[in-house]
Amino acid sequence: GENVEQHPSTLSVQEGDSAVIKCTYSDSASNYFPWYKQELGKRPQLIIDIRSNVGEKKDQRIAVTLNKTAKHFSLHITETQPEDSAVYFCANPRPSGGYQKVTFGTGTKLQVIP
Amino acid sequence: KAGVTQTPRYLIKTRGQQVTLSCSPISGHRSVSWYQQTPGQGLQFLFEYFSETQRNKGNFPGRFSGRQFSNSRSEMNVSTLELGDSALYLCASSPGLAGGGTDTQYFGPGTRLTVL
């Protein structure tokens, strides 16, 4: 399967609060789970990724958790700031005939209200 | 290393015309993927090239085509443009050697195509 479901599609939080975005995938062969941030008018940029041999990875205010049994991974942003406002995409690269195919989630528009 | 670059950054065309977009990957990267981004459809995969060969293809009509050169630079062509082709076209490069689905993709700034 190639489906990647991302929720929510929009998220508004007060500055300082936490934000959580979740993606569910279907291909159990998936081993790598990156998250991208796209600010208005700019390119998607990799912000954090996790490989299947760990359950959580942190980088300052952002973290990603992975539940391979349930086939979902989540992006957590703590102490949100206005500059966190952007669209966030999860991606699901997976093996395909010796190479890889990548499917992106539909995106979550995060608005951090000052 | 220099990042992924795309030219042109903006393009305005009329229906029925054709367009060619260019992408230069990060030095050493051999895989280039193309995506169409629209507000309603998110990031839609077009195709991927590796060592001058198309490895994967998305669900787009034959009007969308591409190629890759020996220096890994890639071009995408859209013929007989339609209004619905208006979008941001992004390319992404990666080393392209991870058969296990663990390659990280790095995006270019995109080409904004407007079809009138």
Side-chain angles (χ1 to χ4, degrees):
Chain A
E2 300 184 359
N3 294 332
V4 179
E5 293 186 6
Q6 182 173 344
H7 297 283
S9 57
T10 60
L11 182 58
S12 290
V13 299
Q14 293 289 329
E15 182 177 357
D17 286 350
S18 295
V20 181
I21 303 168
K22 181 178 176 180
C23 278
T24 304
Y25 62 96
S26 57
D27 191 336
S28 57
S30 301
N31 294 309
Y32 174 58
F33 307 91
W35 283 93
Y36 291 83
K37 173 185 180 182
Q38 187 176 26
E39 296 177 66
L40 191 62
K42 297 189 176 181
R43 73 186 79 189
Q45 299 247 6
L46 178 74
I47 55 171
I48 195 167
D49 56 15
I50 191 169
R51 301 191 186 260
S52 61
N53 56 342
V54 296
E56 183 176 8
K57 181 178 178 181
K58 286 184 179 180
D59 183 3
Q60 299 182 354
R61 295 186 299 107
I62 61 173
V64 55
T65 57
L66 171 64
N67 184 328
K68 285 213 76 178
T69 302
K71 294 183 186 175
H72 64 71
F73 57 110
S74 299
L75 176 70
H76 304 255
I77 306 174
T78 59
E79 300 172 30
T80 53
Q81 300 170 4
E83 53 264 38
D84 295 329
S85 296
V87 178
Y88 292 82
F89 293 94
C90 62
N92 179 217
R94 58 203 180 278
S96 176
Y99 310 113
Q100 74 174 17
K101 283 190 174 182
V102 183
T103 303
F104 283 85
T106 48
T108 296
K109 184 175 182 180
L110 173 65
Q111 181 184 21
V112 179
I113 304 165
Chain B
K1 288 183 180 178
V4 181
T5 59
Q6 291 185 248
T7 57
R9 294 293 311 279
Y10 302 91
L11 209 47
I12 299 175
K13 292 286 187 179
T14 56
R15 280 179 299 175
Q17 287 187 310
Q18 74 159 15
V19 66
T20 299
L21 314 181
S22 180
C23 173
S24 292
I26 292 171
S27 177
H29 284 189
R30 294 165 63 183
S31 170
V32 175
S33 296
W34 288 89
Y35 296 88
Q36 181 192 65
Q37 187 175 36
T38 57
Q41 297 295 321
L43 280 162
Q44 300 293 310
F45 173 70
L46 281 153
F47 29 65
E48 184 223 358
Y49 285 86
F50 178 83
S51 290
E52 303 178 65
T53 301
Q54 187 181 90
R55 283 202 303 204
N56 290 303
K57 190 176 188 303
N59 298 320
F60 277 80
R63 300 185 296 108
F64 292 81
S65 62
R67 59 178 176 169
Q68 187 179 35
F69 302 94
S70 58
N71 61 357
S72 294
R73 187 178 70 86
S74 178
E75 288 182 347
M76 189 191 99
N77 185 77
V78 187
S79 62
T80 320
L81 284 166
E82 301 177 357
L83 294 178
D85 296 333
S86 294
L88 179 68
Y89 289 88
L90 291 159
C91 75
S93 81
S94 68
L97 299 176
T102 56
D103 252 6
T104 299
Q105 293 193 318
Y106 298 91
F107 284 88
T111 294
R112 172 78 59 187
L113 172 64
T114 301
V115 182
L116 302 176

